[in-house]
């Protein structure tokens, strides 16, 4: 059966009462960002010595999810990072984020070296928005994210909550819908693919579905098989008499044994860059990344996959690009990202030099070029057909080198250290968010008037400090700057 709509909706109960109304304080968040390249993109490394060597390590395929970035924060972690989010949902469908709130976000910046760097940042926020809610819709995430692939949450019996007009969060509907990877006008559209997910030998193109019930290739402009929307549970409203439980309940592998604050309100939303969310455009209306489309989001990739080989297993001072764990005994290799390393090519093209890019391998290539141009005797190139992969090149051998003077490089030998060319990859970002809140209530939330005397002064600061030092329970009155 075709699995495009992964929700169950009690349409007959569709009464637009704002039953999510209340005042809430964030106590936990679990976010998974998934990135899709807007076209094929080559990841390369270059030599820092002046040989002029650039080598492609891998190609990120356009339209396919190629990396994920989690952001997982318990109540304790939120406090340690200075994250404090106080949200008010009014009964009339308006909402706000109180002054003094700070919220984490992922942003890509250009550093002082011109490199594209993606950072998790904590930013001050105040906001006003509108929302709609209906706690009786009986929705389920189905365990899939907006792209229709397995996600981080699998809950059912949830209400629907739609949000719009926020400067902090994206727009998403109360009744979940299937978005497209298109701009708001439906002009710039990108495809999405999961490849041959069911390993049937055929990639099913929408509207055809695979053995798992989903299309494996969604053309630009066609709906994704996952949903965009907000889903919530509120204690005493749609919890079926069962107390809500934090995702960090003591069994989480990232926080073993840690039991988080019990939430009163859980909000789970799914969204993706484009017209449905209003996200993906840059800070202004111009084409910031110059790709000719509405989309402007870039992702900085700090390093490439590399193998850190233990010294007792023959490892050197640098890792080697690629996953070489299958070539070594267990415990010899740790696979991680690296911004510099040795370049190995097991295809055989570098077999003369132990399958590594070495000084001799580079000089042989340079020598061949000079020989073909008639600038050097081809016989001289035989001197570089010697395996020098047992050593690492010392850059001091380049001190007397000038372009074309190969003789000055006679002392150069050993594996070359290659630097990763940090890219700004044009991407579309998909998001799945699980946010937990406690309900704090009261008109004094976030006012800072700790002693309720109607003013803000040093007495309120002293009262708040005393609460902190004594470890006494406190409401959200002091949650502000």
């Amino acid at each position: 059966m075709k699995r495009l709509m992964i929700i169950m909706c009690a349409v007959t109960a569709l009464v637009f009462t704002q039953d999510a109304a209340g005042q809430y304080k964030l106590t936990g968040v679990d976010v998974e960002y998934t990135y899709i390249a807007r076209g094929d993109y080559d990841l390369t490394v270059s030599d820092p010595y002046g040989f002029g060597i650039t080598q492609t390590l891998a190609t990120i395929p356009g339209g396919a999810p190629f990396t994920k970035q989690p952001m997982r924060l318990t109540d304790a972690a939120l406090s340690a990072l200075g994250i404090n989010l106080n949200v008010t949902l009014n009964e009339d469908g308006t909402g706000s984020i109180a002054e003094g709130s700070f919220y984490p976000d992922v942003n890509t910046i250009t550093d002082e070296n011109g490199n594209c760097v993606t950072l998790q940042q904590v930013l001050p926020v105040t906001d006003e928005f509108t929302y709609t809610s209906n706690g009786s819709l009986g929705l389920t995430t189905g365990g899939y994210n907006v792209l229709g692939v397995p996600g981080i949450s699998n809950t059912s019996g949830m209400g629907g909550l739609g949000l719009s007009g926020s400067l902090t969060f994206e727009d998403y509907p109360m009744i979940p819908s299937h978005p497209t990877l298109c701009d708001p006008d439906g002009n710039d559209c990108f495809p999405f693919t999961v490849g041959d997910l069911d390993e049937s030998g055929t990639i099913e193109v929408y509207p055809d579905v695979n053995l798992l019930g989903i299309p494996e290739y969604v053309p630009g402009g066609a709906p994704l098989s996952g949903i965009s929307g907000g889903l919530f549970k509120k204690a005493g409203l749609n919890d079926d008499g069962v107390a809500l439980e934090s995702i960090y309940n003591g069994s989480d592998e990232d926080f073993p044994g840690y039991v988080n604050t019990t939430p009163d309100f859980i909000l789970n939303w799914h969204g993706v860059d484009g017209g449905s969310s209003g996200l993906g455009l840059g800070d202004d209306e111009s084409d910031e990344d110059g790709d000719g489309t509405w989309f402007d989001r870039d992702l900085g990739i700090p390093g490439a996959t590399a193998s850190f080989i233990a010294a007792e297993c023959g490892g050197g001072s640098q890792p080697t690009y690629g996953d070489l764990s299958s070539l070594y005994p267990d415990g010899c290799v740790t696979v991680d990202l690296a911004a510099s390393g040795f370049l190995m090519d097991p295809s055989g093209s570098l077999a003369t030099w132990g399958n590594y890019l070495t000084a001799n391998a580079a000089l042989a290539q340079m020598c061949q070029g000079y020989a073909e141009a008639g600038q050097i005797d081809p016989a001289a190139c035989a001197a570089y057909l010697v395996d020098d992969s047992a050593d690492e090149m010392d850059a001091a051998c380049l001190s007397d080198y000038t372009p074309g003077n190969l003789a000055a490089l006679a002392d150069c030998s050993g594996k070359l250290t290659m630097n990763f060319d940090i890219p700004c990859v044009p991407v579309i970002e998909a998001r799945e968010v699980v946010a937990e809140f406690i309900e704090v209530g009261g008109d004094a939330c976030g006012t800072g008037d700790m002693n309720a005397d109607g003013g803000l002064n040093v007495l309120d600061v002293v009262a708040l400090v005393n609460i902190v030092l004594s470890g006494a329970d406190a409401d959200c009155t002091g949650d502000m700057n």
Side-chain angles (χ1 to χ4, degrees), residues 95 117 143 198 272 278 291 302 333 356 444 446:
V117 180
D198 61 357
V272 65
D291 72 339
V333 175
Y356 277 93

Side-chain angles (χ1 to χ4, degrees), residues 12 147 193:
T12 56
L147 301 174
T193 182

Side-chain angles (χ1 to χ4, degrees), residues 315-342:
S317 65
Q318 296 282 346
T320 298
Y321 288 114
D323 184 351
L324 307 181
S325 54
S326 63
L327 304 179
Y328 288 83
D330 291 345
C332 281
V333 175
T334 301
V335 178
D336 204 342
L337 296 181
S340 63
F342 303 131

Side-chain angles (χ1 to χ4, degrees), residues 4-7 139 145-148 161 171-180 223-231 270-272 275-277:
L4 272 180
M5 186 65 71
I6 58 172
I7 60 172
L139 307 178
N145 66 15
V146 68
L147 301 174
L161 189 149
D171 292 345
Y172 49 84
M174 181 182 75
I175 304 298
S177 62
H178 299 285
T180 63
L224 297 170
S225 55
I227 55 110
S228 174
L231 301 85
H270 303 254
V272 65
S276 63
S277 65

Side-chain angles (χ1 to χ4, degrees), residues 3-48:
R3 185 185 60 75
L4 272 180
M5 186 65 71
I6 58 172
I7 60 172
M8 295 181 294
C9 186
V11 177
T12 56
L14 195 61
V15 180
F16 289 96
T17 57
Q18 308 315 324
D19 46 8
Q23 292 178 323
Y24 305 99
K25 177 180 175 62
L26 184 70
T27 55
V29 65
D30 186 6
V31 185
E32 185 170 79
Y33 301 95
T34 302
Y35 295 98
I36 307 161
R38 304 196 310 266
D40 294 346
Y41 197 94
D42 291 337
L43 299 179
T44 62
V45 291
S46 298
D47 81 271

Side-chain angles (χ1 to χ4, degrees), residues 232-326:
F232 80 97
K233 270 195 176 183
K234 181 177 179 179
L237 174 68
N238 57 353
D239 58 4
D240 296 326
V242 179
L244 300 185
E245 185 177 356
S246 172
I247 53 176
Y248 307 116
N249 59 6
S251 61
D252 191 282
E253 60 182 13
D254 289 340
F255 304 96
Y258 177 86
V259 179
N260 202 39
T261 302
T262 301
D264 300 313
F265 188 93
I266 298 175
L267 177 62
N268 180 197
W269 79 82
H270 303 254
V272 65
D273 288 350
S276 63
S277 65
L279 295 186
L281 182 68
D283 294 331
D284 54 51
E285 296 296 325
S286 65
D287 182 12
E288 292 185 0
D289 63 358
D291 72 339
T293 74
W294 177 88
F295 294 85
D296 283 329
R297 189 187 298 276
D298 292 330
L299 179 70
I301 299 179
T305 300
S307 296
F308 292 77
I309 304 168
E312 60 269 23
C313 301
S317 65
Q318 296 282 346
T320 298
Y321 288 114
D323 184 351
L324 307 181
S325 54
S326 63

